[in-house]
Amino acid sequence: MGAIYFIRHGQASFGSNNYDQLSPTGHEQGRVLGHALKARGVVPDLIISGSMKRHQETAINCLDTMGCALPMELHQGVNEFNHENVIEVSEPRYVDKLVMMGDMAASGDPKRTFQTFFKGAVTRWVEGDFAHEYAESWADFRARCVAALDDIVKQTSPKGTTLVFTSGGTISVLCAHLLGLSDAQAFTINWTLANAGVTKLLAGRDGLHLISINEHAHLEGGDKSLLTYR
């Protein structure tokens, strides 16, 4: 059977002017991941990445460490949902990032306050009652991710190995799809996905099999700062 590894990107640059780039920790997570995949004997013959910068940077760090020189195929179908749009629809004042950061800072616990707000914003989006307000509705995002999975399965040879560098929202949707979970349950997966974590599928004649979700042992036991979730 063909093996497909869905890899969440390394830690992005939350709080900076450009979220869509890896932090120094994110770059190191990609390299640690590369060592781990090489140690377990993973030899890919197809590399797919979302078109976001954080996806591609994670892929480059990982593949360079593995000594893999395969070309990278960009696939917008595995891109993350537009989290900025989800935030701004929920709270229009947050079109100005300085306003959002000021509100979070005033709480005394910016990270926790943001996480609570963001969960509420995502819940509103997923529930679908206001789908027309978003650049991409939850239903459209879910359909896009599932269509991308079908495409990737077709590209994966029967005994091949595909690495897919993507985001937590995409991985959560695909896991929920394969497990038959509800939309609301999909994001219970998302909140616990580690940066540079691995989710593995096997594709065979009898269909798709979800083998593991959120493998991240390679980020444990050493530098504690390498295990991050946002």
Side-chain angles (χ1 to χ4, degrees):
M1 291 192 287
I4 306 172
Y5 294 80
F6 283 88
I7 297 165
R8 188 185 178 204
H9 62 79
Q11 184 187 63
S13 297
F14 178 75
S16 73
N17 290 329
N18 181 12
Y19 172 79
D20 188 24
Q21 59 184 348
L22 295 186
S23 68
T25 295
H27 283 286
E28 181 61 18
Q29 287 167 333
R31 291 187 284 268
V32 170
L33 170 66
H35 284 299
L37 292 177
K38 186 174 183 179
R40 64 195 275 184
V42 174
V43 180
D45 46 30
L46 177 61
I47 307 296
I48 294 175
S49 171
S51 62
M52 294 174 163
K53 186 174 182 180
R54 58 190 184 271
H55 301 154
Q56 296 176 64
E57 288 182 336
T58 304
I60 290 168
N61 287 321
C62 176
L63 298 173
D64 283 352
T65 303
M66 293 177 73
C68 176
L70 287 174
M72 187 190 311
E73 175 184 326
L74 299 186
H75 197 314
Q76 293 188 5
V78 300
N79 281 356
E80 183 64 289
F81 65 92
N82 188 334
H83 73 278
E84 291 184 345
N85 179 249
V86 169
I87 288 170
E88 291 163 8
V89 170
S90 181
E91 175 47 82
R93 293 189 308 118
Y94 290 170
V95 170
D96 185 336
K97 290 186 176 62
L98 291 178
V99 172
M100 182 179 74
M101 299 307 292
D103 283 358
M104 302 303 153
S107 72
D109 191 345
K111 289 186 177 180
R112 184 178 295 275
T113 301
F114 175 79
Q115 188 64 20
T116 299
F117 164 76
F118 189 53
K119 281 187 177 183
V122 168
T123 297
R124 183 183 189 275
W125 175 58
V126 171
E127 288 174 346
D129 294 335
F130 306 95
H132 64 282
E133 297 181 3
Y134 296 93
E136 182 179 41
S137 70
W138 162 257
D140 287 345
F141 173 64
R142 181 183 59 202
R144 168 166 68 80
C145 293
V146 172
L149 173 62
D150 291 342
D151 187 38
I152 291 166
V153 170
K154 290 175 184 176
Q155 292 186 66
T156 301
S157 62
K159 294 184 180 180
T161 297
T162 299
L163 301 186
V164 183
F165 294 86
T166 180
S167 287
T170 304
I171 294 170
S172 298
V173 165
L174 297 181
C175 289
H177 171 68
L178 294 170
L179 293 172
L181 302 180
S182 69
D183 291 343
Q185 290 170 316
F187 266 81
T188 63
I189 298 172
N190 186 66
W191 305 129
T192 59
L193 293 180
N195 292 117
V198 178
T199 294
K200 182 180 179 181
L201 280 63
L202 290 180
R205 293 180 180 177
D206 57 345
L208 282 172
H209 303 273
L210 185 58
I211 303 302
S212 66
I213 300 175
N214 196 31
E215 296 178 47
H216 58 274
H218 51 286
L219 302 167
E220 296 179 316
D223 183 349
K224 301 297 183 183
S225 69
L226 289 180
L227 182 56
T228 63
Y229 300 90
R230 295 290 174 267

